[in-house]
Amino acid sequence: DSSLERARGFKAFEIVSQDLQCQEGLDELAKVIATLEAVGCKVNKSCGIHVHVGVNDYTTRNLTNLIKFYGKHEQEIDMVVAPSRRASRWAQTLDIDSIWNKLSRCEDFRDVENLLSTRYRKVNVFSFRRYGTVEFRQHGGSLDVDKICHWVILLTNMCDVTKKKANIQRTKGEFKHSVVEVFGRGQN
């Protein structure tokens, strides 16, 4: 990956995993990260974690709901990533205010691609028609297993929740309710 900056004495490389599913997938991810740490790998600001979530059964409405949900809560999501990942050349903002109404008029996946215009958004839909995935490009590189697993769980739950929605409302200020939807209600 030419976007990676290499520190003196280190090699820059990209790791692409197989399709990881459920807890077994998270366990496999933890093994890979432990191996990377054991051999002395490091990450820097040029590194990113791109998560592809399988959504091959999504309709156009499911896809636009996901983009609306992420865009609507983009500021809150930004709070859980490093400041350097909030506005990046490789993970640009969705600019949800300018595309919200246009998303509702998308008739097929190509309309959604045309609207977003580049794969270098925080949510990349260009992988959908080819791989049946949506790629989330925002998270910075890390060797922190818990941080990465929590990010993956957030994204997969977000995809599951937005698929079940008939529509996403534009109103702001309901992030607490949305978090409960995505993560579920805790036990007392």
Side-chain angles (χ1 to χ4, degrees), residues 79-142:
M79 290 182 209
V80 301
V81 299
S84 63
R85 303 303 289 193
R86 295 175 188 167
S88 162
R89 172 180 168 194
W90 308 112
Q92 300 166 19
T93 183
L94 292 173
D95 195 17
I96 198 65
D97 290 331
S98 70
I99 65 170
W100 186 277
N101 291 331
K102 295 173 186 172
L103 282 166
S104 299
R105 293 191 297 271
C106 289
E107 295 181 9
D108 59 30
F109 302 121
R110 191 171 301 276
D111 288 346
V112 180
E113 288 176 350
N114 290 337
L115 184 59
L116 294 178
S117 74
T118 178
R119 70 185 186 104
Y120 299 115
R121 300 262 183 217
K122 293 174 181 177
V123 180
N124 169 24
V125 300
F126 284 78
S127 62
F128 181 80
R129 286 189 301 123
R130 186 169 182 185
Y131 301 110
T133 66
V134 172
E135 177 189 26
F136 295 89
R137 304 177 54 85
Q138 187 173 5
H139 204 286
S142 179

Side-chain angles (χ1 to χ4, degrees), residues 138 151-152:
Q138 187 173 5
W151 180 246
V152 169

Side-chain angles (χ1 to χ4, degrees), residues 26 49-55 58 66 69-70 77 80-81 122-124 134-140 147-163 182-183:
L26 295 176
I49 295 174
H50 299 185
V51 177
H52 284 257
V53 178
V55 292
Y58 260 35
L66 175 62
F69 187 91
Y70 199 100
I77 295 167
V80 301
V81 299
K122 293 174 181 177
V123 180
N124 169 24
V134 172
E135 177 189 26
F136 295 89
R137 304 177 54 85
Q138 187 173 5
H139 204 286
K147 184 188 286 188
I148 297 168
C149 287
H150 289 138
W151 180 246
V152 169
I153 291 166
L154 169 71
L155 299 175
T156 55
N157 286 352
M158 190 181 307
C159 289
D160 290 344
V161 166
T162 57
K163 182 180 180 195
V182 171
F183 287 110

Side-chain angles (χ1 to χ4, degrees), residues 16 19-20 30 33 63 82 85 91-92 128 131 140 169 172 184:
V16 179
D19 186 12
L20 304 177
I33 293 169
L63 188 59
R85 303 303 289 193
Q92 300 166 19
F128 181 80
Y131 301 110
Q169 300 302 314
K172 297 259 183 181

Side-chain angles (χ1 to χ4, degrees), residues 1 22-23 26-28 30 39-41 55 57-58 65 69 75 93 102 114 122 138 141 153 170 174 177 183 185:
D1 185 332
C22 304
Q23 185 59 48
L26 295 176
D27 294 343
E28 188 67 27
V39 298
C41 287
V55 292
D57 58 344
Y58 260 35
N65 278 350
F69 187 91
Q75 289 181 324
T93 183
K102 295 173 186 172
N114 290 337
K122 293 174 181 177
Q138 187 173 5
I153 291 166
R170 191 170 189 168
E174 58 189 55
H177 175 71
F183 287 110
R185 191 167 303 281

